[in-house]
Amino acid sequence: MTRIHTDDDANAEAIRPGPIAIIGYGSQGRAHARNLRDSGHQVIVGARPGGKAAQRAAGDGFEVFAPGEAAKRASFIALLTPDMTHREVYENDIAPNMAPGETLMVAHGFSIHYGQVRPRGDIDVILVAPKGPGDLVRREFEIGRGVPSLFAVWQDASGEARSRALAYCKGNGGTAGGAIETTFAEETETDLFGEQAVLCGGASELVAAGYETLVEAGYQPEVAYFECLHELKLIVDLMYEGGLARMHDFISETAKYGDLVSGPRVINDETRARMREVLTDIQSGAFARDWILENQAGKPRYDALLRQDLEQDIEKTGARLRARMAWLQPGANTKAAE
């Protein structure tokens, strides 16, 4: 059985006295920086001078420096900019400013696993990946809990890399939620597969295909939207809260029987074969090479595919219906709370 590491397994002193440099102040960067500071660590932020991220970090009370200067001042560097920027940021700002024995951390292994970043041999290289968006990571920390995290060691130059990864997990709330040790390969490949085959690619295609099937059969688009997209949240919430068992507890016997006999007709051996193809492309590096080249070309195919995705009829129908759902409007939840 996989071991789940808790606060008792982590020594916060492994990454003190610091400072810790958070390079990139987006959703994850902001959450990590604030959590680590509240855990008693010295934190500085590296961001482009004059940019929105730098202004927000300064507004949150952090000392903000250009990325290279932040790296120079820190003994532990968390690279939390988007994956496709890692190579440039590492080569230009981080590598020249790291001393032997210091630590480079990422929250997703893509750039290192696929060779976009090739770390020097005299530094520790680790991964700490909270399993939730930045807002949730911060919110759970603030109420004394934490979001589960994955951690891994790519390179242990100091002999302390694993201890440093666990210490960072603890400072960010990860060991309160439970931290699981993995590898860069496992974290990267499973994350990409989940996004492509299930969470984003698989789910969105399934929803769109269901909607199109009903509309082509003559049913009203609005009714198709409710049945294939709107109600999906109800099922996902049940599964999130208690797995398949909780879903079965809360749906009708008719829905349950339909699930059991028709689910395998839609997700079948052919579907699983396509999923294995997706996984093979991820494992071989084919997907990574394609995505890297797409970025280098200015993302023309990406832009065209995204535009095509957002121009589907289900998007137009959904926008019209959601405009009538008061609870989805900006500020609705805040007003309700007041």
Side-chain angles (χ1 to χ4, degrees):
M1 183 179 294
T2 299
R3 180 180 176 186
I4 298 178
H5 298 264
T6 66
D7 285 347
D8 292 339
D9 298 309
N11 176 15
E13 299 305 315
I15 53 174
R16 289 194 176 117
I20 297 168
I22 302 293
I23 309 296
Y25 203 70
S27 174
Q28 287 289 340
R30 188 176 189 226
H32 292 213
R34 297 162 82 195
N35 290 354
L36 290 161
R37 179 175 62 185
D38 289 351
S39 294
H41 296 285
Q42 182 186 359
V43 179
I44 60 175
V45 171
R48 181 174 56 82
K52 291 182 180 179
Q55 293 171 11
R56 191 173 199 188
D60 287 339
F62 290 102
E63 283 191 284
V64 183
F65 304 94
E69 181 62 25
K72 185 182 299 184
R73 291 170 178 261
S75 56
F76 187 111
I77 299 164
L79 177 54
L80 300 178
T81 60
D83 292 331
M84 291 298 108
T85 68
H86 281 198
R87 180 175 182 174
E88 180 180 358
V89 174
Y90 175 75
E91 292 179 353
N92 295 340
D93 300 309
I94 295 177
N97 293 302
M98 289 190 75
E102 293 184 342
T103 304
L104 173 68
M105 190 215 87
V106 292
H108 178 41
F110 185 101
S111 61
I112 291 174
H113 179 56
Y114 292 118
Q116 285 296 287
V117 172
R118 300 183 183 277
R120 290 175 7 210
D122 61 355
I123 60 172
D124 288 350
V125 182
I126 62 174
L127 176 148
V128 175
K131 301 313 293 177
D135 286 349
L136 181 64
V137 171
R138 177 58 179 169
R139 187 164 67 248
E140 286 296 297
F141 180 91
E142 287 183 301
I143 59 179
R145 303 185 301 205
V147 171
S149 293
L150 302 179
F151 72 96
V153 174
W154 175 270
Q155 183 169 280
D156 185 7
S158 71
E160 299 294 327
R162 189 171 181 276
S163 296
R164 291 173 178 177
L166 275 167
Y168 189 99
C169 273
K170 182 175 183 177
N172 198 33
T175 47
I180 295 175
E181 189 164 11
T182 183
T183 64
F184 272 65
E186 183 176 60
E187 185 277 334
T188 303
E189 292 168 5
T190 57
D191 185 82
L192 293 175
F193 177 81
E195 291 169 350
Q196 294 175 32
V198 181
L199 305 176
C200 302
S204 61
E205 284 298 312
L206 186 64
V207 165
Y211 172 88
E212 290 165 4
T213 299
L214 288 177
V215 172
E216 288 170 2
Y219 298 101
Q220 296 179 74
E222 293 79 7
V223 175
Y225 176 87
F226 283 131
E227 296 304 328
C228 295
L229 190 154
H230 178 79
E231 293 189 20
L232 180 64
K233 182 183 187 306
L234 309 177
I235 301 303
V236 169
D237 283 351
L238 291 171
M239 294 171 67
Y240 179 80
E241 292 165 5
L244 298 178
R246 183 167 176 81
M247 180 195 72
H248 286 307
D249 283 344
F250 281 83
I251 62 176
S252 70
E253 286 195 336
T254 303
K256 202 178 305 184
Y257 182 66
D259 168 358
L260 298 173
V261 300
S262 295
R265 297 171 64 191
V266 177
I267 307 300
N268 52 29
D269 287 343
E270 182 179 354
T271 313
R272 292 183 180 87
R274 298 295 172 266
M275 285 184 168
R276 286 192 288 271
E277 290 176 5
V278 169
L279 182 57
T280 297
D281 283 349
I282 291 167
Q283 292 171 324
S284 70
F287 168 77
R289 288 191 294 273
D290 180 51
W291 178 224
I292 291 164
L293 289 172
E294 179 68 15
N295 273 266
Q296 292 172 349
K299 299 190 287 191
R301 181 167 178 252
Y302 166 90
D303 290 337
L305 290 172
L306 182 59
R307 184 170 56 253
Q308 179 181 333
D309 199 44
L310 297 179
E311 289 174 352
Q312 295 182 85
D313 186 66
I314 190 173
E315 279 293 280
K316 299 170 186 174
T317 301
R320 188 169 68 254
L321 291 173
R322 289 190 297 271
R324 302 186 63 84
M325 300 178 193
W327 63 92
L328 295 180
Q329 306 314 307
N333 293 330
T334 301
K335 292 175 184 176
E338 294 173 349

